[in-house]
Structure formats: C-alpha cells, structure tokens
Amino acid sequence: MIVAAAQGAIAGLAFWLLRLGAPVFWGVVTAFCSLLPVVGATIVWVPAGIGLLLSGETMRGVLMLLMGAFGISMVDNILRPILLTGKTSISGLVIFFGLLGGAAAFGLVGLVIGPIILVITPEIIDNLRRPSVPDPFTVPADPTITRKAG
C-alpha cells in the first residue's frame, strides 16, 4: 500500500508538472492501478505519454514517458526493498537481488514473488533437515510417572 501511495503521488506530481488535467484524480487512479499485478501503474502513464506524443506534444510526451519509467515505476524497485528490509532478517542487498531474480524468472509478478521465495526457502530447507514431527515409534517420557526400584 505504501508503494502504491508513493507511485500515485509521483504520478500526480508528474501530471501537475506537465500541466495535464486533473492531476489529483490521475494520481489516485495510478495508486489503485499500481496494485494490479501485471500492468500496475503503467496502465495510466503509458497511455498518457503516448496520447501526448500522438497529439503533437512531443516534448511533454517524452517527459511523461521518462517520468513514468524512471520515477513512477522505479519507486517500486527502490521503496519495496527498503520496506522489506526492516521486516526480515535479510539484508536489503539480498532482497534487491531477490527482486531482480524474481523479475527475471517470473516477469513483473516476480517483483513480489522473488523476495517471498527468497525469505521462505531457508525455512523450508531447515524444516526438511530437522522435521518437527515426532517419531511415532518412540514413547515420550512422562515426568509424572515414577519408577520403583527393584
């Protein structure tokens, strides 16, 4: 949600700087669309940039596409590792590589799946090495039963 809000704020700022209509509205729309897994915020800023290019506003269209690519969409790659670093015991650099590897393996959805796989895999390996299920053939010792000598 924080990444979506940041993307919406940057998109609203970009729309305002380029003097496009209703920057607050488009910022909110971008924030909601950034929650979509595949298309995300690009579903808003790419058509806006292409529309400007097709209408003859070449400079504003190029600026919109540049702000979208290097501002709106990049905030996800920068902010998500920062937010995930505090929540796990894994360093930000490792999470960053998880984002890159996830994106390479699964595409845009991999930006979410990559760090999750990276965090869960050591736990799965640890559970496979030392299962927590007790052996059914051993009887646990009951401390309330005392044995008589003899």
Side-chain angles (χ1 to χ4, degrees):
M1 295 297 285
I2 293 171
V3 173
Q7 285 181 321
I10 293 171
L13 181 66
F15 274 80
W16 178 73
L17 288 173
L18 294 174
R19 294 183 185 93
L20 298 173
V24 174
F25 171 76
W26 289 112
V28 171
V29 169
T30 303
F32 280 119
C33 287
S34 69
L35 297 173
L36 297 173
V38 177
V39 290
T42 58
I43 200 168
V44 176
W45 62 264
V46 168
I50 292 173
L52 287 169
L53 289 173
L54 292 176
S55 69
E57 297 284 339
T58 308
M59 183 60 130
R60 288 173 53 192
V62 169
L63 285 174
M64 183 68 210
L65 292 174
L66 287 174
M67 282 193 265
F70 295 109
I72 300 168
S73 292
M74 286 302 287
V75 74
D76 186 36
N77 297 335
I78 295 169
L79 194 56
R80 189 177 306 273
I82 293 170
L83 293 173
L84 291 177
T85 300
K87 305 293 183 205
T88 66
S89 61
I90 298 174
S91 73
L93 185 63
V94 173
I95 290 179
F96 178 71
F97 284 120
L99 287 169
L100 292 179
F106 302 109
L108 290 176
V109 178
L111 294 176
V112 175
I113 295 173
I116 292 172
I117 291 173
L118 188 69
V119 170
I120 291 175
T121 301
E123 288 294 321
I124 292 172
I125 292 172
D126 188 44
N127 285 339
L128 290 174
R129 286 185 183 161
R130 288 180 279 144
S132 60
V133 179
D135 187 12
F137 298 109
T138 59
V139 178
D142 189 0
T144 59
I145 299 175
T146 57
R147 295 185 182 184
K148 294 183 182 179

